[in-house]
Amino acid sequence: MTIPTSLQPAEDYQQIHDGIIHLLDTARTETVRSVNALMTATYWEIGRRIVEFEQNGQARAAYGSQLIERLSVDLTQRYKRGFSSRNLWQIRTFYLYFQEVEILQTVSAESSFLIQLARAFPLPWSAYVRLLSVKDANARQFYEKETLRNGWSVRQLERQIATQFYERTLLSHDKSALLQQGTPTVPELLPEQALRDPFILEFLNLKDEYSESDLEEALINHLMDFMLELGDDFAFIGRQRRLRIDDSWFRVDLLFFHRKLRCLLVIDLKVGKFSYADAGQMNMYLNYAKEHWTIPGENPPVGLILCAEKGAAHYSLNGLPNTVMASECRVQLPDEKRLADELIRSQKALAARGNSLSD
């Protein structure tokens, strides 16, 4: 490639600058697509092996559910995340729904086979997970093609399925006009956002520790330190702890264990004001924590919702077995007003620090 000698130095620099940016953006986007495609191809192949194992004789077919459970235990022990029995059933269903894929040539090496197979899956794995909820094969194929054609995000795909876009298209007298409504209204997900996809983080066994804003990150740091300064009763368990409920992902901001109460304390920070939806979400977190994070001998978990906008704190004690336990929690846990005052104080300190840095 030759660079025109007639360009001025500033134009020379702008040309190489813009070219490198385009190269990096393209490479990052293709990297995300490659990871997604290889992950999807791997799950497809796992599903194929499970199904073929089950179909290879009546005895093995009867052993199907036991196979899933045993694989779940062994794979989780090795890879830590991503292979619950529910996930493996989902992978099996994915293969059954999408088994008619075209592999251009037969290759012997497993890595080469996966690379070849990955070309059959242009959508991210999270989109295919959403498509599994569509039971009608024609509708599923329609949504898959429209997602690819329009570049829908997973959220847009979910909205189209929820509003029965396929059924409305079938009934419409002007199908082309209705299909034009499916055009995306938001830009494609940036690589740094796509790599935060919990499915990818889970597949690569990467840690997921980030917040959606600097304010949220700073408040969580302050609150974590504050809780630990209250005494030896609180043991820090983790922050930004991921949990999966059905096909949706959530994140618990802080997780502590209270030694005297012998229970987990689930803390959820809301930058906005408190709403009844926040209470419902916390109850969902507590039910999950009780089933998946609590060990024998511990009491049910307790929730704490902190709302930054109004400087408010709300305990969630609904899941406790009796009023005695609830009363004991009220005595042992920090007073809600004290927590709310600390939240306000933290915000003022952060604001003052921000102002001093900007002067």
Side-chain angles (χ1 to χ4, degrees):
M1 181 176 117
T2 59
I3 300 176
T5 56
S6 59
L7 291 176
Q8 298 298 319
E11 294 173 322
D12 283 345
Y13 174 76
Q14 194 62 44
Q15 186 180 59
I16 189 171
H17 170 271
D18 293 347
I20 289 175
I21 286 178
H22 177 71
L23 178 67
L24 288 171
D25 287 347
T26 301
R28 294 171 75 200
T29 299
E30 289 304 315
T31 298
V32 171
R33 288 176 179 167
S34 297
V35 171
N36 251 309
L38 283 169
M39 177 174 66
T40 304
T42 301
Y43 289 157
W44 185 92
E45 177 61 14
I46 292 173
R48 184 190 68 80
R49 296 185 184 194
I50 291 173
V51 170
E52 290 199 351
F53 180 92
E54 293 171 345
Q55 292 176 343
N56 191 11
Q58 187 174 357
R60 285 189 173 183
Y63 180 61
S65 60
Q66 296 178 41
L67 169 69
I68 295 289
E69 295 298 328
R70 185 172 179 179
L71 279 174
S72 175
V73 171
D74 291 341
L75 293 176
T76 299
Q77 185 175 10
R78 182 179 178 89
Y79 296 106
K80 308 304 179 188
R81 299 184 296 169
F83 294 101
S84 66
S85 57
R86 183 184 182 281
N87 287 2
L88 287 173
W89 281 113
Q90 194 172 62
I91 288 170
R92 178 183 178 276
T93 303
F94 170 64
Y95 169 75
L96 292 174
Y97 281 3
F98 294 91
Q99 57 184 301
E100 300 300 328
V101 298
E102 182 180 356
I103 305 175
L104 299 180
Q105 64 184 44
T106 304
V107 289
S108 54
E110 196 157 54
S111 60
S112 299
F113 168 74
L114 287 175
I115 292 172
Q116 192 80 319
L117 180 61
R119 297 174 184 173
F121 302 108
L123 298 179
W125 169 248
S126 52
Y128 287 109
V129 169
R130 189 63 189 87
L131 287 170
L132 294 183
S133 66
V134 181
K135 304 306 178 185
D136 181 83
N138 292 326
R140 193 165 54 245
Q141 188 178 48
F142 168 84
Y143 286 121
E144 182 184 15
K145 289 182 177 179
E146 288 301 301
T147 301
L148 187 59
R149 182 175 72 88
N150 293 308
W152 288 340
S153 66
V154 176
R155 182 165 297 185
Q156 287 172 312
L157 169 61
E158 188 168 2
R159 184 169 62 249
Q160 300 292 4
I161 293 173
T163 57
Q164 297 184 312
F165 185 52
Y166 170 71
E167 289 78 4
R168 288 187 289 116
T169 302
L170 287 182
L171 296 174
S172 175
H173 296 294
D174 191 354
K175 291 182 174 55
S176 60
L178 191 60
L179 288 172
Q180 287 301 316
Q181 297 178 12
T183 304
T185 56
V186 296
E188 187 177 358
L189 202 63
L190 296 174
E192 56 267 30
Q193 294 172 315
L195 283 175
R196 289 171 178 170
D197 184 331
F199 285 115
I200 292 181
L201 293 170
E202 193 175 68
F203 180 73
L204 297 177
N205 198 25
L206 297 176
K207 291 184 178 180
D208 178 22
E209 296 181 359
Y210 82 99
S211 289
E212 295 177 358
S213 69
D214 292 338
L215 171 63
E216 197 174 9
E217 176 76 12
L219 282 175
I220 290 174
N221 287 335
H222 276 238
L223 290 167
M224 180 173 66
D225 293 339
F226 174 73
M227 298 296 287
L228 292 175
E229 288 170 1
L230 291 175
D232 294 335
D233 287 341
F234 286 101
F236 175 70
I237 302 296
R239 55 175 291 163
Q240 303 291 329
R241 179 67 70 90
R242 277 278 184 189
L243 58 145
R244 181 182 178 185
I245 299 174
D246 294 330
D247 292 327
S248 298
W249 292 85
F250 303 91
R251 186 185 297 105
V252 168
D253 290 314
L254 289 170
L255 187 65
F256 288 90
F257 183 78
H258 196 280
R259 297 172 63 193
K260 286 184 179 177
L261 294 173
R262 295 190 56 78
C263 72
L264 292 170
L265 176 63
V266 178
I267 301 179
D268 193 26
L269 174 66
K270 300 295 181 182
V271 176
K273 61 183 179 181
F274 177 78
S275 70
Y276 289 109
D278 297 330
Q281 188 175 60
M282 175 56 76
N283 287 333
M284 182 175 64
Y285 291 167
L286 293 177
N287 288 334
Y288 183 95
K290 182 179 179 180
E291 182 178 354
H292 298 282
W293 296 344
T294 300
I295 64 175
E298 293 180 354
N299 290 312
V302 172
L304 172 61
I305 303 172
L306 298 170
C307 302
E309 183 175 317
K310 295 292 185 180
H314 305 272
Y315 280 115
S316 179
L317 309 175
N318 296 337
L320 299 182
N322 51 59
T323 55
V324 174
M325 178 68 184
S327 299
E328 181 68 12
C329 285
R330 291 287 183 186
V331 172
Q332 297 291 342
L333 292 173
D335 181 70
E336 290 172 336
K337 185 179 185 306
R338 184 180 182 186
L339 291 169
D341 290 343
E342 174 60 26
L343 187 60
I344 294 172
R345 189 193 68 79
S346 297
Q347 291 186 83
K348 288 181 179 179
L350 290 170
R353 188 177 70 180
N355 291 334
S356 64
L357 291 174
S358 62
D359 290 342

